[in-house]
Amino acid sequence: MNIKILFLLLFLLNFTVSIKNETVKGVIEKAVAEIYNTIDSKDLNTLTDKFVLNLFNHKELNILATKYWYFDINTPSIVSVMRSTGQNTVPFWLPVNGFIKTGLIVKNEYYTYEVWQKEYNPGRVELGINGFDDHNKHYFVSVKSKNEKSELTLKNFFPANQFVTTMDIGAFTYHDWDELTLTVVPDQLKGGKLLTTIRGRSREAHLINAFRETPFPSSEESDQVMLTWSKSTKSTQSVQWRTDTTSNNGVVRYWKKGDDKDNFIQTEAERKLMEDRMLQNDRFINRHTALIANLKPNTTYNYIVGNPDNNKWSDTNEFKTEPESTDQFSFVYFGDTHKSPQWGQLINDSYKRFPDVSFYTLGGDMVASGLFRNDWDIFFNYAEEVIKNKPLMPVLGNHDDQNGLGAKMYIDLFDLPENGPDKIPGEYSYSFKYGNALFLMLASTRPINEQSAWIENQLKNSDATWKFAIFHFPPYSADEDYPNIRKEWGNIFDKYHVDMVFSGHVHYYMRTKPMFAEKPVTKPSDGTIYIVSVAVPARELSLPDKNYVEVRSTEQDYYYQKVDINGSEFNYKTYNSSGILIDSLNIIKQ
């Protein structure tokens, strides 16, 4: 799996490499500008395939038909394009470029693909866009030499670093879903070279039903105020917020709680212009990030954010730095939130009930689509009253790092530590220490083995009493587990005794028995406890019994976990949507 994801990452780096006006991206951006200029907003999502095709001249259509995916072959070959039968409209370039629909069928566990073929002489093979819709069962490609005695060579790929495998039953086709493998492959195609892709590429030319609106557009007023940590929890505080593009000068003013607010200290913010080109009512925003440094430990500060040029300021909020030496604190964990009102209810209820928690953690799938800023706007709207007063430390889920397209919006929105593994993008995986506990915040959507040495180094060099790991995919689950994580990271957790692992993804609640070497053990001191939780209504599931389960709930409910640390004592509680305690655990280290 790891080499597959490596090729995915390299694949992504090449999407936009070439002259803008000669790329699919450039052509589509020109079309988006024309649509905005000529189509009434109420009609933006009534576009048809015929209308969209008429937006492009002959040169632009040729770019869409030939510059999306290409490579060179050295011998006469048959190129097969496997196109999902669930896609209503055939991509225009297939028949135009001379591809002929065959009667062949390819299947995986869930989807069926029809096969279009064309014979090519040695030279360049040029393929077009997946379509103007967002059909994420993207087409994939195989190539087979016409002469079995001729060795087929493929080279000069765009996007570069193309992963090539063998066309056969059991092969995967999507890097962002490599557990989905082929179950039906005609004999005529077996043995060919299979070119894999990612489902998210379908969005590169997405225009039909693509335009969105945010229910919470930006303004010159500062909003979406949020606290995180990117540096020391004792002496720094990171503050982020949003404005529209008319407000460019962002600052944070802060002072010790109880002091005269006119004696504030001011820190300037860095500004980042964010674009969501399909967000018709708020395409561009400014995201402001200020790092306050040289703070005193164990001190509560008040602060406001805003723009001194227009004198627009937020309400007064507060944050508290970690004490210089403490082994007593608490935090709250949430599983999947999916920008839901139920998550909003949970975080606000937990804040009212436990106002003294030190911070919040979140195990990924914060939104439905990590590349839709309207999703993030909803997420922040539900949580803002809490996260402007308490730091939020998240990790990525598959919905945040979606369809293989990366998590740029997540990186732009959150200011997090950049102390993670060298081969993983900054802020995807990171660690921080609070009190006598170490927190490993891991990117389970990224190559697992490329984080292992870093994880081991963090644990080996830690003197923390308590060690926690937080990541999205669950190593143990009766519904959908991840044995690769269980074996790769679980062995390290066993070696250095990680106390508890928090995850989500599968939408129910579970606490395992202490686990060591993938087997239940009797005492927490002998193994690691694994938590699965969800902060949106769980699915109704009928799950088989597993010997590792200590507590499990398949009710259609949603939950949060509160953890209290007091020196060598650990107190864990899970509350449901009604605030009822459904699970608890107390551990005392000798």
Side-chain angles (χ1 to χ4, degrees), residues 11-29:
F11 188 84
L12 289 169
L13 293 176
N14 294 276
F15 276 177
T16 58
V17 179
S18 58
I19 300 172
K20 180 176 180 180
N21 291 334
E22 298 296 324
T23 64
V24 169
K25 184 176 186 290
V27 170
I28 295 299
E29 286 186 346

Side-chain angles (χ1 to χ4, degrees), residues 137-201:
K137 273 67 73 178
H138 195 287
Y139 75 82
F140 54 97
V141 179
S142 71
V143 186
K144 196 168 187 181
S145 173
K146 291 180 65 178
N147 184 348
E148 293 184 2
K149 296 181 180 180
S150 298
E151 183 177 355
L152 173 62
T153 301
L154 310 180
K155 62 181 182 178
N156 298 328
F157 292 102
F158 179 85
N161 301 297
Q162 172 70 54
F163 184 75
V164 181
T165 186
T166 302
M167 185 70 173
D168 207 342
I169 292 172
F172 77 98
T173 58
Y174 301 124
H175 280 279
D176 56 313
W177 193 0
D178 58 6
E179 294 87 359
L180 185 70
T181 57
L182 298 179
T183 57
V184 175
V185 177
D187 290 340
Q188 302 96 306
L189 300 180
K190 288 181 178 179
K193 293 185 180 293
L194 171 61
L195 280 62
T196 57
T197 186
I198 58 174
R199 294 174 296 156
R201 285 209 74 189

Side-chain angles (χ1 to χ4, degrees), residues 179-290:
E179 294 87 359
L180 185 70
T181 57
L182 298 179
T183 57
V184 175
V185 177
D187 290 340
Q188 302 96 306
L189 300 180
K190 288 181 178 179
K193 293 185 180 293
L194 171 61
L195 280 62
T196 57
T197 186
I198 58 174
R199 294 174 296 156
R201 285 209 74 189
S202 60
R203 290 186 183 165
E204 289 188 59
H206 184 203
L207 292 173
I208 296 174
N209 294 317
F211 294 89
R212 293 170 276 107
E213 291 189 2
T214 174
F216 305 107
S218 63
S219 71
E220 62 180 352
E221 303 277 355
S222 301
D223 65 359
Q224 296 184 1
V225 183
M226 175 175 64
L227 302 175
T228 63
W229 287 303
S230 59
K231 306 292 183 183
S232 168
T233 55
K234 296 181 174 71
S235 62
T236 72
Q237 183 65 68
S238 184
V239 187
Q240 299 103 68
W241 68 95
R242 176 188 75 159
T243 65
D244 65 18
T245 56
T246 67
S247 184
N248 294 320
N249 185 15
V251 302
V252 55
R253 292 176 174 175
Y254 62 98
W255 59 96
K256 287 184 184 179
K257 187 173 183 178
D259 287 358
D260 188 339
K261 66 179 298 184
D262 290 334
N263 294 326
F264 64 81
I265 303 172
Q266 181 167 296
T267 297
E268 293 186 1
E270 294 185 0
R271 173 173 55 89
K272 182 173 293 185
L273 180 67
M274 291 182 63
E275 178 190 8
D276 182 345
R277 73 183 182 193
M278 296 305 182
L279 196 57
Q280 58 175 296
N281 65 332
D282 203 30
R283 180 175 177 178
F284 297 96
I285 64 164
N286 283 334
R287 189 73 181 175
H288 306 268
T289 300

Side-chain angles (χ1 to χ4, degrees), residues 58-71:
H58 177 74
K59 179 181 179 181
E60 292 165 341
L61 286 173
N62 185 61
I63 291 171
L64 296 178
T66 62
K67 302 301 182 185
Y68 180 74
W69 196 354
Y70 53 81
F71 51 91

Side-chain angles (χ1 to χ4, degrees), residues 2-60:
N2 300 318
I3 191 171
K4 303 170 188 175
I5 302 180
L6 171 62
F7 274 92
L8 162 62
L9 297 175
L10 295 171
F11 188 84
L12 289 169
L13 293 176
N14 294 276
F15 276 177
T16 58
V17 179
S18 58
I19 300 172
K20 180 176 180 180
N21 291 334
E22 298 296 324
T23 64
V24 169
K25 184 176 186 290
V27 170
I28 295 299
E29 286 186 346
K30 177 176 177 291
V32 169
E34 184 174 345
I35 289 169
Y36 276 134
N37 289 333
T38 58
I39 305 296
D40 191 276
S41 60
K42 64 180 176 56
D43 297 323
L44 286 174
N45 283 327
T46 65
L47 305 183
T48 64
D49 211 73
K50 180 179 179 181
F51 176 89
V52 170
L53 281 170
N54 287 329
L55 293 172
F56 306 106
N57 59 36
H58 177 74
K59 179 181 179 181
E60 292 165 341

